[in-house]
Amino acid sequence: MSKLWGGRFTKETNKLVEEFTASIFFDKKLAAEDIEGSLAHAKMLGECGIIPMEDVEQIVGGLLKIREMAENNEIEFLIEDEDIHMNIEKKLIELIGPVGGKLHTGRSRNDQVATDMHLYLRTKTNELIGLVENVQEAIVDKSKLHIDTLIPGYTHLQRAQPVSFAHHLMAYFWMFERDKERLKDSVKRINWMPLGAGALAGTTFPINRELTAGLLGFETIYPNSMDAVSDRDFILEFLSIGSIIMTHISRLSEELIIWSSQEFRFVELDDSFCTGSSIMPQKKNPDVPELLRGKTGRVYGNLVGLLTVLKGLPLAYNKDLQEDKEGMFDTVETLEGSLKLLAPMIETMKVNGNVMRQALNEDFSNATDIADYLAGKGMPFREAHEVIGKIVLYCIQNNKYLLDLTMDEYRSYSEHFHGDIYKILTPEHVAGARKSYGGTAPGQIQNQIQLAQSLLD
Ligand code: ARG
């Protein structure tokens, strides 16, 4: 059998054109969705009396057979048949004869492909929500163990104030929580159904779009057939959300890489999540977080790629739109792979609480608290800031830290100083004093973890 659209043509398609325009290499991933959409469409055609019920039965039987064959990798997809839609339709006609040709009544590949993409992305988005949740669970489990583990908190990558390691880690929980919300929200728009829009203008057949929407679980039907076949916003949205998720994964990865370095030694990634060097025997490299950070680039690329494809594209369907697929598949697969690795990597990493705590003995991350101390005694905060700045400078010049200064040294700067400052300046006290909502005091972290846990349950 020649091309499904061969009637108007007098020449064979150039082989290079066939290869160049075919999408079967990658859209074969949509086989299950394509069959699902066709099953619903065929049933609707029968229900509406557009084609006889006995034809529908044959078509359904053929499609189910093709589904089984596809699942067992028994179908040879052909470049000559261009894409998944025509490969399946041709297979159907091969299996059940010319009656298979009735399936495409009142339908176009344009509404068909859009429908397939909606179905695919709905399934994948729901799966990804579960994978994000696994990462969140790993974060909560690790955090619960480290509420009292103190680590320097940084701004500008300079020591700022001590925080709980749980607090630092839980910051990522909330990023992923928003990602999850974004994914869930996007499903509302993925749930718009293009099927029934025809090539662009609708169809002359008395179809029933509510019926197909019900069969396919769509909540909304595109009210405009031209929008239905040209809209790829739902994919752009997915790629945007994917990019934000990768940003979060990349920032966390970057911290894990820094923390694993000899200079920090705050954490140690499990041997099973690291690789060695072919020349330097001592090396244990954090390849996994490095690749997670690196893979962020391709996901951003996929987003910018599709934005560029869509920019300036006139209505309605244009072949350019076929370029929507590879970036989407790649993003789905990159996110799946990344999220699946991230959860166990967090679970298995060793936290060097002693090294983190030791670091806090050798910094000025308690300086804000003596400024607060003086401000508490009535000194304007700006003035207190100036006094403490001088004290820090004195310490640096004399190779001391704030807890090393004698009472006399303190009192030479202000008579407001008393013996209680030594207790106030310990990292435990500094972190514990930040009891404001969302702060790093243990009680606040406990509340935060409890809230997080309730969102997961
Ligand atoms: N393979 C095509 C795509 O992915 C299917 C739609 C083709 N429609 C058309 N009018 N050529 O976009």
Side-chain angles (χ1 to χ4, degrees):
M1 205 199 311
S2 59
K3 301 262 189 258
L4 288 173
W5 41 255
R8 185 230 177 275
F9 287 77
T10 54
K11 283 188 183 175
E12 295 280 291
T13 315
N14 181 306
K15 282 287 154 209
L16 287 174
V17 172
E18 253 179 10
E19 259 185 52
F20 188 69
T21 56
S23 53
I24 188 62
F25 317 104
F26 45 88
D27 68 13
K28 59 184 179 202
K29 284 203 170 77
L30 296 172
E33 288 78 10
D34 198 66
I35 292 168
E36 195 188 342
S38 289
L39 284 168
H41 181 67
K43 287 174 193 163
M44 180 278 291
L45 291 176
E47 290 289 332
C48 297
I50 298 169
I51 64 174
M53 265 306 177
E54 53 278 18
D55 292 352
V56 174
E57 273 157 36
Q58 283 195 62
I59 290 170
V60 167
L63 287 170
L64 293 177
K65 175 79 194 146
I66 295 172
R67 179 156 76 188
E68 192 189 310
M69 289 168 73
E71 278 165 8
N72 298 326
N73 275 326
E74 282 165 11
I75 301 190
E76 198 203 339
F77 293 116
L78 302 175
I79 295 175
E80 303 90 271
D81 294 333
E82 198 179 316
D83 57 24
I84 187 63
H85 325 292
M86 290 200 291
N87 265 274
I88 288 180
E89 193 181 331
K90 229 167 158 193
K91 193 88 218 156
L92 181 69
I93 296 170
E94 231 173 84
L95 280 179
I96 65 169
V99 63
K102 293 195 178 184
L103 170 62
H104 212 52
T105 312
R107 184 178 77 170
S108 155
R109 268 188 299 158
N110 299 348
D111 56 343
Q112 186 180 358
V113 69
T115 303
D116 292 3
M117 302 283 277
H118 278 265
L119 290 173
Y120 171 86
L121 213 47
R122 187 173 62 192
T123 306
K124 290 300 177 184
T125 300
N126 285 322
E127 281 170 20
L128 286 167
I129 289 169
L131 291 178
V132 170
E133 222 154 58
N134 293 347
V135 172
Q136 289 183 297
E137 269 161 23
I139 291 174
V140 167
D141 288 348
K142 204 66 172 181
S143 298
K144 278 183 187 159
L145 303 173
H146 292 287
I147 294 175
D148 297 318
T149 305
L150 294 180
I151 185 173
Y154 295 82
T155 64
H156 313 268
L157 208 55
Q158 303 288 321
R159 302 272 181 91
Q161 290 171 349
V163 293
S164 149
F165 183 61
H167 197 54
H168 193 132
L169 215 47
M170 282 300 290
Y172 287 95
F173 175 95
W174 300 107
M175 296 178 217
F176 290 123
E177 183 60 23
R178 292 190 294 275
D179 291 335
K180 220 171 60 182
E181 274 184 19
R182 274 185 273 270
L183 286 170
K184 284 183 184 167
D185 194 69
S186 74
V187 174
K188 285 187 211 153
R189 286 164 294 280
I190 295 177
N191 256 332
W192 285 39
M193 185 187 75
L195 193 61
L200 75 162
T203 172
T204 55
F205 292 97
I207 58 168
N208 182 343
R209 297 184 77 191
E210 282 76 26
L211 207 156
T212 38
L215 289 172
L216 295 170
F218 283 114
E219 277 162 15
T220 307
I221 298 167
Y222 278 90
N224 182 308
S225 61
M226 294 183 81
D227 181 35
V229 292
S230 15
D231 174 38
R232 296 295 183 271
D233 293 0
F234 65 106
I235 304 177
L236 280 183
E237 202 173 339
F238 170 71
L239 298 175
S240 314
I241 299 170
S243 296
I244 298 175
I245 296 177
M246 287 310 292
T247 306
H248 295 152
I249 292 178
S250 187
R251 292 182 75 172
L252 176 54
S253 296
E254 169 70 4
E255 302 218 80
L256 294 178
I257 294 164
I258 294 177
W259 289 341
S260 315
S261 69
Q262 193 70 45
E263 286 69 20
F264 277 74
R265 289 194 305 114
F266 285 176
V267 301
E268 187 177 344
L269 298 178
D270 196 72
D271 274 6
S272 59
F273 282 85
C274 293
T275 55
S277 156
S278 59
I279 170 169
M280 298 165 282
Q282 84 284 8
K283 291 296 290 287
K284 174 172 160 183
N285 296 327
D287 287 34
V288 174
E290 288 172 272
L291 258 182
L292 292 173
R293 188 177 58 185
K295 280 185 186 293
T296 305
R298 67 198 290 157
V299 173
Y300 292 0
N302 293 335
L303 169 62
V304 175
L306 185 60
L307 282 169
T308 313
V309 166
L310 293 171
K311 179 185 175 297
L313 203 63
L315 297 183
Y317 180 85
N318 298 273
K319 187 75 167 180
D320 315 40
L321 289 174
Q322 183 167 287
E323 287 293 308
D324 62 357
K325 289 178 195 58
E326 287 158 289
M328 179 187 71
F329 292 139
D330 182 71
T331 300
V332 165
E333 282 153 29
T334 304
L335 285 170
E336 282 173 351
S338 303
L339 292 165
K340 277 183 189 164
L341 270 172
L342 190 54
M345 189 169 71
I346 294 169
E347 271 158 26
T348 55
M349 82 181 174
K350 193 175 145 227
V351 178
N352 294 329
N354 291 339
V355 179
M356 294 173 176
R357 180 61 185 80
Q358 183 56 34
L360 290 167
N361 290 336
E362 289 152 18
D363 68 21
F364 294 96
S365 60
N366 45 2
T368 311
D369 290 63
I370 358 177
D372 286 355
Y373 177 91
L374 291 185
K377 307 263 175 186
M379 188 185 282
F381 183 79
R382 267 298 139 242
E383 219 172 285
H385 187 288
E386 174 79 13
V387 172
I388 309 307
K390 294 239 157 63
I391 297 179
V392 169
L393 185 63
Y394 169 82
C395 284
I396 292 169
Q397 283 162 350
N398 292 279
N399 225 348
K400 290 179 176 199
Y401 293 104
L402 291 172
L403 276 168
D404 302 330
L405 298 184
T406 62
M407 207 59 237
D408 286 345
E409 284 173 311
Y410 272 119
R411 294 189 69 90
S412 70
Y413 287 94
S414 164
E415 79 270 18
H416 288 310
F417 283 119
H418 293 285
D420 55 347
I421 53 163
Y422 293 106
K423 202 187 96 210
I424 283 164
L425 289 183
T426 62
E428 284 70 21
H429 193 277
V430 171
R434 284 168 168 72
K435 293 193 180 80
S436 54
Y437 180 84
T440 194
Q444 285 302 324
I445 301 172
Q446 253 138 15
N447 291 345
Q448 185 189 156
I449 290 179
Q450 215 170 3
L451 178 60
Q453 192 79 64
S454 71
L455 291 167
L456 288 176
D457 295 340

